Short mmCIF file of all heavy atoms in Angstrom, two decimals:
data_model
loop_
_atom_site.label_atom_id
_atom_site.label_comp_id
_atom_site.label_asym_id
_atom_site.label_seq_id
_atom_site.Cartn_x
_atom_site.Cartn_y
_atom_site.Cartn_z
N MET A 1 -24.18 47.19 61.85
CA MET A 1 -25.53 46.65 61.74
C MET A 1 -26.54 47.72 62.12
O MET A 1 -26.46 48.34 63.18
CB MET A 1 -25.66 45.45 62.67
CG MET A 1 -27.07 44.90 62.77
SD MET A 1 -27.09 43.46 63.84
CE MET A 1 -28.78 43.56 64.46
N THR A 2 -27.48 47.93 61.26
CA THR A 2 -28.52 48.92 61.55
C THR A 2 -29.84 48.22 61.79
O THR A 2 -30.09 47.14 61.28
CB THR A 2 -28.68 49.92 60.39
OG1 THR A 2 -28.96 49.20 59.20
CG2 THR A 2 -27.43 50.73 60.20
N THR A 3 -30.67 48.87 62.55
CA THR A 3 -31.98 48.31 62.82
C THR A 3 -33.05 49.33 62.48
O THR A 3 -32.78 50.52 62.41
CB THR A 3 -32.12 47.94 64.31
OG1 THR A 3 -31.88 49.10 65.09
CG2 THR A 3 -31.13 46.86 64.69
N ALA A 4 -34.25 48.86 62.29
CA ALA A 4 -35.34 49.73 61.88
C ALA A 4 -35.62 50.80 62.93
O ALA A 4 -35.93 51.94 62.60
CB ALA A 4 -36.59 48.92 61.63
N VAL A 5 -35.48 50.43 64.20
CA VAL A 5 -35.81 51.39 65.25
C VAL A 5 -34.89 52.60 65.23
O VAL A 5 -35.24 53.66 65.71
CB VAL A 5 -35.77 50.76 66.65
CG1 VAL A 5 -36.89 49.74 66.81
CG2 VAL A 5 -34.42 50.14 66.93
N ALA A 6 -33.70 52.43 64.67
CA ALA A 6 -32.73 53.52 64.66
C ALA A 6 -33.20 54.69 63.82
O ALA A 6 -32.70 55.79 63.96
CB ALA A 6 -31.39 53.02 64.15
N ASP A 7 -34.17 54.46 62.96
CA ASP A 7 -34.65 55.52 62.10
C ASP A 7 -35.66 56.42 62.80
O ASP A 7 -35.99 57.48 62.30
CB ASP A 7 -35.31 54.92 60.85
CG ASP A 7 -34.30 54.19 60.00
OD1 ASP A 7 -33.11 54.57 60.03
OD2 ASP A 7 -34.69 53.24 59.33
N ARG A 8 -36.14 55.98 63.94
CA ARG A 8 -37.17 56.77 64.61
C ARG A 8 -36.52 57.86 65.45
O ARG A 8 -35.70 57.59 66.31
CB ARG A 8 -38.03 55.87 65.50
CG ARG A 8 -39.25 56.58 66.05
CD ARG A 8 -40.14 55.61 66.81
NE ARG A 8 -39.53 55.12 68.03
CZ ARG A 8 -39.50 55.78 69.18
NH1 ARG A 8 -40.05 56.98 69.26
NH2 ARG A 8 -38.95 55.26 70.24
N THR A 9 -36.93 59.07 65.20
CA THR A 9 -36.40 60.19 65.97
C THR A 9 -37.09 60.24 67.32
O THR A 9 -38.29 60.06 67.44
CB THR A 9 -36.66 61.51 65.22
OG1 THR A 9 -36.03 61.44 63.95
CG2 THR A 9 -36.11 62.68 65.99
N LEU A 10 -36.30 60.51 68.33
CA LEU A 10 -36.87 60.63 69.67
C LEU A 10 -37.68 61.91 69.77
O LEU A 10 -37.36 62.91 69.13
CB LEU A 10 -35.73 60.66 70.70
CG LEU A 10 -34.95 59.34 70.80
CD1 LEU A 10 -33.64 59.57 71.54
CD2 LEU A 10 -35.77 58.28 71.48
N ASN A 11 -38.71 61.88 70.58
CA ASN A 11 -39.53 63.07 70.76
C ASN A 11 -39.85 63.28 72.24
O ASN A 11 -39.36 62.54 73.10
CB ASN A 11 -40.81 62.98 69.91
CG ASN A 11 -41.65 61.78 70.32
OD1 ASN A 11 -41.91 61.55 71.49
ND2 ASN A 11 -42.08 60.99 69.34
N ALA A 12 -40.67 64.27 72.51
CA ALA A 12 -40.95 64.65 73.90
C ALA A 12 -41.65 63.55 74.69
O ALA A 12 -41.64 63.57 75.91
CB ALA A 12 -41.79 65.92 73.92
N ALA A 13 -42.24 62.59 73.99
CA ALA A 13 -42.92 61.50 74.68
C ALA A 13 -41.94 60.43 75.16
O ALA A 13 -42.30 59.56 75.94
CB ALA A 13 -43.97 60.87 73.77
N ASP A 14 -40.72 60.49 74.66
CA ASP A 14 -39.71 59.52 75.07
C ASP A 14 -39.03 60.01 76.33
O ASP A 14 -38.52 61.12 76.38
CB ASP A 14 -38.69 59.33 73.95
CG ASP A 14 -39.29 58.67 72.73
OD1 ASP A 14 -39.90 57.60 72.90
OD2 ASP A 14 -39.17 59.22 71.63
N ARG A 15 -39.02 59.18 77.35
CA ARG A 15 -38.55 59.60 78.66
C ARG A 15 -37.41 58.72 79.14
O ARG A 15 -37.41 57.51 78.93
CB ARG A 15 -39.70 59.52 79.67
CG ARG A 15 -40.81 60.52 79.40
CD ARG A 15 -40.34 61.93 79.66
NE ARG A 15 -41.16 62.93 78.95
CZ ARG A 15 -40.94 64.24 79.06
NH1 ARG A 15 -39.98 64.70 79.82
NH2 ARG A 15 -41.70 65.08 78.39
N CYS A 16 -36.46 59.36 79.83
CA CYS A 16 -35.34 58.64 80.41
C CYS A 16 -35.83 57.56 81.37
O CYS A 16 -36.70 57.80 82.21
CB CYS A 16 -34.45 59.63 81.16
SG CYS A 16 -33.09 58.87 82.05
N ASP A 17 -35.28 56.37 81.23
CA ASP A 17 -35.68 55.27 82.10
C ASP A 17 -35.20 55.46 83.54
O ASP A 17 -35.67 54.80 84.45
CB ASP A 17 -35.12 53.94 81.57
CG ASP A 17 -35.83 53.51 80.30
OD1 ASP A 17 -37.01 53.86 80.13
OD2 ASP A 17 -35.21 52.82 79.48
N ARG A 18 -34.27 56.34 83.73
CA ARG A 18 -33.71 56.55 85.07
C ARG A 18 -34.40 57.68 85.83
O ARG A 18 -34.61 57.60 87.02
CB ARG A 18 -32.21 56.86 84.97
CG ARG A 18 -31.39 55.68 84.45
CD ARG A 18 -31.34 54.55 85.45
NE ARG A 18 -30.65 53.39 84.92
CZ ARG A 18 -29.34 53.20 85.00
NH1 ARG A 18 -28.59 54.10 85.58
NH2 ARG A 18 -28.79 52.12 84.50
N CYS A 19 -34.69 58.77 85.14
CA CYS A 19 -35.17 59.95 85.87
C CYS A 19 -36.45 60.55 85.29
O CYS A 19 -37.03 61.43 85.91
CB CYS A 19 -34.07 61.01 85.90
SG CYS A 19 -33.75 61.77 84.30
N GLY A 20 -36.88 60.11 84.12
CA GLY A 20 -38.12 60.61 83.57
C GLY A 20 -37.99 61.89 82.77
O GLY A 20 -38.97 62.41 82.25
N ALA A 21 -36.77 62.40 82.64
CA ALA A 21 -36.55 63.57 81.78
C ALA A 21 -36.67 63.16 80.33
O ALA A 21 -36.69 61.97 80.00
CB ALA A 21 -35.16 64.16 82.05
N GLN A 22 -36.78 64.14 79.45
CA GLN A 22 -36.88 63.81 78.04
C GLN A 22 -35.64 63.04 77.58
O GLN A 22 -34.52 63.41 77.90
CB GLN A 22 -37.05 65.07 77.19
CG GLN A 22 -37.26 64.74 75.72
CD GLN A 22 -37.66 65.95 74.89
OE1 GLN A 22 -38.00 67.00 75.44
NE2 GLN A 22 -37.64 65.80 73.59
N ALA A 23 -35.87 61.98 76.83
CA ALA A 23 -34.76 61.13 76.39
C ALA A 23 -34.15 61.65 75.10
O ALA A 23 -34.87 62.06 74.19
CB ALA A 23 -35.26 59.71 76.19
N TYR A 24 -32.83 61.60 75.05
CA TYR A 24 -32.11 61.99 73.84
C TYR A 24 -31.22 60.88 73.32
O TYR A 24 -30.56 61.04 72.30
CB TYR A 24 -31.29 63.25 74.10
CG TYR A 24 -32.14 64.50 74.12
CD1 TYR A 24 -32.67 64.99 75.31
CD2 TYR A 24 -32.44 65.16 72.95
CE1 TYR A 24 -33.47 66.12 75.33
CE2 TYR A 24 -33.24 66.29 72.95
CZ TYR A 24 -33.75 66.76 74.14
OH TYR A 24 -34.55 67.87 74.15
N VAL A 25 -31.19 59.77 74.04
CA VAL A 25 -30.38 58.64 73.61
C VAL A 25 -31.23 57.36 73.73
O VAL A 25 -31.88 57.13 74.75
CB VAL A 25 -29.11 58.49 74.47
CG1 VAL A 25 -28.33 57.24 74.08
CG2 VAL A 25 -28.23 59.72 74.32
N ARG A 26 -31.22 56.56 72.67
CA ARG A 26 -31.91 55.27 72.70
C ARG A 26 -30.88 54.20 72.42
O ARG A 26 -30.12 54.29 71.46
CB ARG A 26 -33.02 55.21 71.66
CG ARG A 26 -33.77 53.87 71.69
CD ARG A 26 -34.89 53.78 70.67
NE ARG A 26 -34.39 53.94 69.32
CZ ARG A 26 -34.70 54.95 68.53
NH1 ARG A 26 -35.52 55.89 68.93
NH2 ARG A 26 -34.19 55.05 67.32
N VAL A 27 -30.87 53.17 73.25
CA VAL A 27 -29.93 52.08 73.04
C VAL A 27 -30.70 50.77 72.92
O VAL A 27 -31.78 50.61 73.49
CB VAL A 27 -28.90 51.98 74.18
CG1 VAL A 27 -28.22 53.33 74.40
CG2 VAL A 27 -29.52 51.49 75.47
N VAL A 28 -30.14 49.86 72.16
CA VAL A 28 -30.73 48.53 72.00
C VAL A 28 -29.74 47.51 72.55
O VAL A 28 -28.58 47.47 72.12
CB VAL A 28 -31.04 48.22 70.52
CG1 VAL A 28 -31.62 46.82 70.39
CG2 VAL A 28 -32.01 49.25 69.96
N LEU A 29 -30.19 46.74 73.52
CA LEU A 29 -29.33 45.76 74.15
C LEU A 29 -29.08 44.59 73.21
O LEU A 29 -30.01 44.02 72.64
CB LEU A 29 -29.96 45.25 75.45
CG LEU A 29 -30.12 46.31 76.55
CD1 LEU A 29 -30.89 45.73 77.72
CD2 LEU A 29 -28.76 46.82 77.00
N GLU A 30 -27.80 44.25 73.06
CA GLU A 30 -27.43 43.20 72.14
C GLU A 30 -28.00 41.85 72.57
O GLU A 30 -28.44 41.06 71.75
CB GLU A 30 -25.90 43.11 72.09
CG GLU A 30 -25.37 42.41 70.87
CD GLU A 30 -23.88 42.70 70.68
OE1 GLU A 30 -23.20 42.93 71.69
OE2 GLU A 30 -23.44 42.71 69.54
N SER A 31 -28.02 41.61 73.87
CA SER A 31 -28.44 40.30 74.37
C SER A 31 -29.92 40.05 74.20
O SER A 31 -30.34 39.00 73.73
CB SER A 31 -28.05 40.18 75.84
OG SER A 31 -28.63 41.24 76.59
N SER A 32 -30.73 41.03 74.56
CA SER A 32 -32.18 40.83 74.58
C SER A 32 -32.92 41.56 73.48
O SER A 32 -34.08 41.27 73.22
CB SER A 32 -32.73 41.30 75.93
OG SER A 32 -32.53 42.70 76.05
N GLY A 33 -32.26 42.52 72.86
CA GLY A 33 -32.95 43.35 71.88
C GLY A 33 -33.83 44.39 72.55
O GLY A 33 -34.54 45.13 71.89
N GLY A 34 -33.78 44.43 73.87
CA GLY A 34 -34.57 45.40 74.62
C GLY A 34 -34.07 46.82 74.39
O GLY A 34 -32.89 47.03 74.11
N GLU A 35 -34.97 47.76 74.51
CA GLU A 35 -34.65 49.15 74.24
C GLU A 35 -34.63 49.95 75.54
O GLU A 35 -35.52 49.78 76.37
CB GLU A 35 -35.73 49.71 73.30
CG GLU A 35 -35.40 51.05 72.69
CD GLU A 35 -36.47 51.47 71.68
OE1 GLU A 35 -36.45 50.92 70.56
OE2 GLU A 35 -37.30 52.31 72.01
N LEU A 36 -33.63 50.80 75.67
CA LEU A 36 -33.55 51.67 76.84
C LEU A 36 -33.44 53.11 76.37
O LEU A 36 -32.83 53.39 75.33
CB LEU A 36 -32.33 51.32 77.69
CG LEU A 36 -32.30 49.94 78.35
CD1 LEU A 36 -30.94 49.72 79.01
CD2 LEU A 36 -33.41 49.80 79.37
N LEU A 37 -34.03 54.01 77.13
CA LEU A 37 -33.97 55.43 76.80
C LEU A 37 -33.28 56.18 77.93
O LEU A 37 -33.50 55.89 79.10
CB LEU A 37 -35.39 55.98 76.62
CG LEU A 37 -36.22 55.35 75.50
CD1 LEU A 37 -37.65 55.86 75.58
CD2 LEU A 37 -35.63 55.66 74.14
N PHE A 38 -32.45 57.14 77.55
CA PHE A 38 -31.75 57.94 78.56
C PHE A 38 -31.76 59.41 78.18
O PHE A 38 -31.68 59.75 76.99
CB PHE A 38 -30.29 57.49 78.69
CG PHE A 38 -30.14 56.08 79.18
CD1 PHE A 38 -29.70 55.08 78.33
CD2 PHE A 38 -30.44 55.74 80.48
CE1 PHE A 38 -29.55 53.78 78.76
CE2 PHE A 38 -30.30 54.43 80.94
CZ PHE A 38 -29.85 53.45 80.07
N CYS A 39 -31.80 60.25 79.18
CA CYS A 39 -31.56 61.66 78.95
C CYS A 39 -30.06 61.85 78.71
O CYS A 39 -29.27 60.91 78.87
CB CYS A 39 -32.01 62.47 80.18
SG CYS A 39 -31.06 62.13 81.68
N GLY A 40 -29.65 63.05 78.34
CA GLY A 40 -28.24 63.29 78.07
C GLY A 40 -27.37 62.98 79.27
O GLY A 40 -26.31 62.37 79.15
N HIS A 41 -27.83 63.38 80.44
CA HIS A 41 -27.06 63.16 81.66
C HIS A 41 -26.85 61.67 81.93
O HIS A 41 -25.73 61.22 82.18
CB HIS A 41 -27.79 63.81 82.85
CG HIS A 41 -27.18 63.49 84.17
ND1 HIS A 41 -26.08 64.13 84.67
CD2 HIS A 41 -27.51 62.55 85.10
CE1 HIS A 41 -25.77 63.62 85.85
NE2 HIS A 41 -26.62 62.67 86.14
N HIS A 42 -27.92 60.90 81.90
CA HIS A 42 -27.79 59.48 82.23
C HIS A 42 -27.13 58.68 81.12
O HIS A 42 -26.52 57.65 81.38
CB HIS A 42 -29.17 58.91 82.61
CG HIS A 42 -29.56 59.28 84.01
ND1 HIS A 42 -30.59 60.14 84.29
CD2 HIS A 42 -29.02 58.92 85.20
CE1 HIS A 42 -30.66 60.30 85.62
NE2 HIS A 42 -29.73 59.57 86.18
N ALA A 43 -27.26 59.14 79.89
CA ALA A 43 -26.54 58.47 78.81
C ALA A 43 -25.05 58.53 79.06
O ALA A 43 -24.33 57.54 78.91
CB ALA A 43 -26.89 59.12 77.47
N ARG A 44 -24.57 59.71 79.47
CA ARG A 44 -23.15 59.86 79.77
C ARG A 44 -22.78 58.99 80.97
O ARG A 44 -21.70 58.41 81.02
CB ARG A 44 -22.82 61.33 80.09
CG ARG A 44 -22.93 62.25 78.90
CD ARG A 44 -21.89 61.95 77.81
NE ARG A 44 -22.29 62.58 76.56
CZ ARG A 44 -22.99 61.93 75.62
NH1 ARG A 44 -23.35 60.68 75.80
NH2 ARG A 44 -23.33 62.53 74.50
N ALA A 45 -23.68 58.93 81.93
CA ALA A 45 -23.39 58.20 83.17
C ALA A 45 -23.23 56.70 82.92
O ALA A 45 -22.43 56.04 83.59
CB ALA A 45 -24.49 58.46 84.19
N VAL A 46 -24.00 56.15 82.00
CA VAL A 46 -23.98 54.69 81.79
C VAL A 46 -23.19 54.28 80.56
O VAL A 46 -22.97 53.09 80.34
CB VAL A 46 -25.41 54.13 81.67
CG1 VAL A 46 -26.22 54.46 82.92
CG2 VAL A 46 -26.10 54.63 80.41
N GLU A 47 -22.76 55.24 79.76
CA GLU A 47 -22.20 54.90 78.45
C GLU A 47 -21.01 53.95 78.54
O GLU A 47 -20.95 52.95 77.82
CB GLU A 47 -21.78 56.18 77.71
CG GLU A 47 -21.23 55.87 76.32
CD GLU A 47 -21.03 57.14 75.50
OE1 GLU A 47 -21.19 58.25 76.03
OE2 GLU A 47 -20.71 57.00 74.31
N ALA A 48 -20.06 54.24 79.41
CA ALA A 48 -18.84 53.43 79.48
C ALA A 48 -19.16 51.98 79.80
O ALA A 48 -18.53 51.05 79.29
CB ALA A 48 -17.89 54.01 80.52
N THR A 49 -20.15 51.78 80.65
CA THR A 49 -20.52 50.43 81.07
C THR A 49 -21.43 49.74 80.06
O THR A 49 -21.25 48.58 79.73
CB THR A 49 -21.27 50.50 82.42
OG1 THR A 49 -20.45 51.17 83.36
CG2 THR A 49 -21.60 49.09 82.91
N LEU A 50 -22.39 50.51 79.57
CA LEU A 50 -23.46 49.90 78.78
C LEU A 50 -23.14 49.77 77.29
O LEU A 50 -23.54 48.81 76.64
CB LEU A 50 -24.72 50.75 78.96
CG LEU A 50 -26.05 50.10 78.61
CD1 LEU A 50 -26.30 48.87 79.48
CD2 LEU A 50 -27.18 51.10 78.80
N ARG A 51 -22.41 50.72 76.78
CA ARG A 51 -22.24 50.77 75.32
C ARG A 51 -21.67 49.48 74.72
O ARG A 51 -22.11 49.06 73.65
CB ARG A 51 -21.40 51.97 74.92
CG ARG A 51 -21.43 52.21 73.42
CD ARG A 51 -21.10 53.66 73.08
NE ARG A 51 -21.26 53.92 71.66
CZ ARG A 51 -21.41 55.12 71.12
NH1 ARG A 51 -21.43 56.17 71.89
NH2 ARG A 51 -21.56 55.28 69.83
N PRO A 52 -20.70 48.84 75.36
CA PRO A 52 -20.18 47.58 74.78
C PRO A 52 -21.23 46.47 74.69
O PRO A 52 -21.02 45.50 73.96
CB PRO A 52 -19.05 47.18 75.76
CG PRO A 52 -18.68 48.45 76.44
CD PRO A 52 -19.95 49.24 76.55
N MET A 53 -22.31 46.61 75.41
CA MET A 53 -23.35 45.57 75.44
C MET A 53 -24.52 45.89 74.52
O MET A 53 -25.53 45.21 74.53
CB MET A 53 -23.87 45.41 76.87
CG MET A 53 -22.80 44.97 77.85
SD MET A 53 -23.47 44.61 79.49
CE MET A 53 -23.79 46.26 80.10
N THR A 54 -24.39 46.96 73.74
CA THR A 54 -25.51 47.36 72.90
C THR A 54 -25.22 47.12 71.42
O THR A 54 -24.07 47.17 70.98
CB THR A 54 -25.81 48.87 73.10
OG1 THR A 54 -24.67 49.64 72.71
CG2 THR A 54 -26.15 49.15 74.56
N SER A 55 -26.28 46.87 70.68
CA SER A 55 -26.14 46.71 69.23
C SER A 55 -26.43 48.03 68.52
O SER A 55 -26.09 48.18 67.35
CB SER A 55 -27.09 45.63 68.73
OG SER A 55 -28.43 45.96 69.04
N ASP A 56 -27.06 48.95 69.22
CA ASP A 56 -27.36 50.24 68.62
C ASP A 56 -27.29 51.31 69.69
O ASP A 56 -27.81 51.13 70.80
CB ASP A 56 -28.74 50.24 67.99
CG ASP A 56 -29.05 51.56 67.28
OD1 ASP A 56 -28.18 52.05 66.54
OD2 ASP A 56 -30.14 52.10 67.49
N TRP A 57 -26.63 52.40 69.37
CA TRP A 57 -26.53 53.52 70.31
C TRP A 57 -26.92 54.77 69.53
O TRP A 57 -26.12 55.35 68.80
CB TRP A 57 -25.10 53.64 70.86
CG TRP A 57 -24.97 54.65 71.97
CD1 TRP A 57 -24.79 55.99 71.82
CD2 TRP A 57 -24.99 54.40 73.38
NE1 TRP A 57 -24.71 56.59 73.06
CE2 TRP A 57 -24.83 55.65 74.03
CE3 TRP A 57 -25.14 53.24 74.15
CZ2 TRP A 57 -24.81 55.76 75.43
CZ3 TRP A 57 -25.12 53.37 75.53
CH2 TRP A 57 -24.95 54.60 76.16
N HIS A 58 -28.18 55.15 69.68
CA HIS A 58 -28.73 56.25 68.89
C HIS A 58 -28.70 57.52 69.74
O HIS A 58 -29.45 57.64 70.71
CB HIS A 58 -30.15 55.89 68.47
CG HIS A 58 -30.83 56.95 67.66
ND1 HIS A 58 -30.46 57.24 66.37
CD2 HIS A 58 -31.84 57.80 67.97
CE1 HIS A 58 -31.25 58.23 65.92
NE2 HIS A 58 -32.07 58.58 66.86
N ASP A 59 -27.83 58.43 69.39
CA ASP A 59 -27.55 59.60 70.23
C ASP A 59 -28.04 60.87 69.55
O ASP A 59 -27.56 61.23 68.47
CB ASP A 59 -26.04 59.66 70.47
CG ASP A 59 -25.68 60.73 71.50
OD1 ASP A 59 -26.44 61.71 71.66
OD2 ASP A 59 -24.62 60.57 72.14
N GLU A 60 -29.00 61.52 70.18
CA GLU A 60 -29.50 62.79 69.65
C GLU A 60 -29.17 63.95 70.59
O GLU A 60 -29.82 64.99 70.56
CB GLU A 60 -31.01 62.71 69.44
CG GLU A 60 -31.40 61.69 68.39
CD GLU A 60 -32.91 61.69 68.13
OE1 GLU A 60 -33.61 62.60 68.59
OE2 GLU A 60 -33.39 60.75 67.48
N THR A 61 -28.18 63.75 71.43
CA THR A 61 -27.88 64.78 72.42
C THR A 61 -27.40 66.09 71.80
O THR A 61 -27.46 67.13 72.45
CB THR A 61 -26.81 64.30 73.43
OG1 THR A 61 -25.68 63.81 72.72
CG2 THR A 61 -27.36 63.21 74.32
N GLU A 62 -26.97 66.02 70.54
CA GLU A 62 -26.57 67.27 69.89
C GLU A 62 -27.77 68.21 69.76
O GLU A 62 -27.62 69.42 69.65
CB GLU A 62 -25.94 67.00 68.52
CG GLU A 62 -26.90 66.52 67.45
CD GLU A 62 -27.14 65.01 67.49
OE1 GLU A 62 -26.68 64.35 68.44
OE2 GLU A 62 -27.78 64.51 66.57
N ARG A 63 -28.97 67.63 69.79
CA ARG A 63 -30.18 68.46 69.70
C ARG A 63 -30.35 69.32 70.94
O ARG A 63 -31.05 70.35 70.90
CB ARG A 63 -31.41 67.58 69.50
CG ARG A 63 -31.47 66.95 68.11
CD ARG A 63 -32.56 65.90 68.04
NE ARG A 63 -33.84 66.44 68.48
CZ ARG A 63 -34.78 65.73 69.08
NH1 ARG A 63 -34.61 64.46 69.30
NH2 ARG A 63 -35.90 66.28 69.46
N LEU A 64 -29.75 68.92 72.04
CA LEU A 64 -29.84 69.73 73.26
C LEU A 64 -29.24 71.11 73.03
O LEU A 64 -29.69 72.10 73.59
CB LEU A 64 -29.08 69.04 74.40
CG LEU A 64 -29.76 67.79 74.98
CD1 LEU A 64 -28.78 67.02 75.85
CD2 LEU A 64 -30.97 68.17 75.78
N ASN A 65 -28.23 71.16 72.19
CA ASN A 65 -27.55 72.43 71.93
C ASN A 65 -28.40 73.38 71.10
O ASN A 65 -28.12 74.57 71.04
CB ASN A 65 -26.22 72.18 71.23
CG ASN A 65 -25.30 71.32 72.08
OD1 ASN A 65 -25.29 71.45 73.29
ND2 ASN A 65 -24.54 70.45 71.45
N GLU A 66 -29.41 72.83 70.44
CA GLU A 66 -30.27 73.66 69.61
C GLU A 66 -31.33 74.35 70.44
O GLU A 66 -31.99 75.26 69.99
CB GLU A 66 -30.94 72.81 68.54
CG GLU A 66 -29.96 72.14 67.60
CD GLU A 66 -30.66 71.13 66.70
OE1 GLU A 66 -31.91 71.05 66.77
OE2 GLU A 66 -29.97 70.44 65.94
N LYS A 67 -31.52 73.88 71.66
CA LYS A 67 -32.57 74.42 72.51
C LYS A 67 -31.94 75.14 73.69
O LYS A 67 -31.90 74.64 74.79
CB LYS A 67 -33.47 73.29 73.02
CG LYS A 67 -34.19 72.55 71.90
CD LYS A 67 -35.11 71.49 72.48
CE LYS A 67 -35.86 70.75 71.40
NZ LYS A 67 -36.74 69.71 71.99
N ALA A 68 -31.49 76.35 73.44
CA ALA A 68 -30.80 77.09 74.48
C ALA A 68 -31.70 77.41 75.66
O ALA A 68 -31.25 77.60 76.78
CB ALA A 68 -30.24 78.38 73.90
N ALA A 69 -33.02 77.44 75.43
CA ALA A 69 -33.94 77.79 76.48
C ALA A 69 -34.16 76.63 77.47
O ALA A 69 -34.67 76.83 78.56
CB ALA A 69 -35.28 78.21 75.91
N VAL A 70 -33.76 75.43 77.05
CA VAL A 70 -33.98 74.28 77.92
C VAL A 70 -32.73 74.00 78.73
O VAL A 70 -31.69 73.70 78.16
CB VAL A 70 -34.33 73.03 77.07
CG1 VAL A 70 -34.51 71.82 77.98
CG2 VAL A 70 -35.59 73.30 76.26
N PRO A 71 -32.81 74.13 80.02
CA PRO A 71 -31.62 73.87 80.85
C PRO A 71 -31.21 72.41 80.82
O PRO A 71 -32.06 71.52 80.85
CB PRO A 71 -32.07 74.30 82.26
CG PRO A 71 -33.55 74.15 82.23
CD PRO A 71 -33.98 74.47 80.81
N VAL A 72 -29.94 72.15 80.76
CA VAL A 72 -29.41 70.80 80.79
C VAL A 72 -28.78 70.58 82.15
O VAL A 72 -27.87 71.29 82.53
CB VAL A 72 -28.35 70.60 79.68
CG1 VAL A 72 -27.82 69.17 79.74
CG2 VAL A 72 -28.94 70.91 78.33
N ASP A 73 -29.33 69.59 82.86
CA ASP A 73 -28.88 69.32 84.23
C ASP A 73 -29.08 70.54 85.11
O ASP A 73 -28.14 71.10 85.63
CB ASP A 73 -27.41 68.89 84.26
CG ASP A 73 -27.24 67.57 83.54
OD1 ASP A 73 -28.20 66.82 83.50
OD2 ASP A 73 -26.14 67.34 83.03
ZN1 LIG B 101 -32.09 60.68 83.12
#
């Protein structure tokens, strides 16, 4: 199942809900349809728990590898 929001690319204005870093993962909660944003670090931290409860898991963390100048963690 795809949703319209999945087409939107994350940008610098999107911030991790946990730490405020730039978000690279957007998830949509199956139960509420609510949207959560995570940086690469926190996406990994919550993935095992959260992913089964989501209807969409939009992962752009591969883009982190394109920006060698930006430190990850
Ligand atoms: Zn974070």
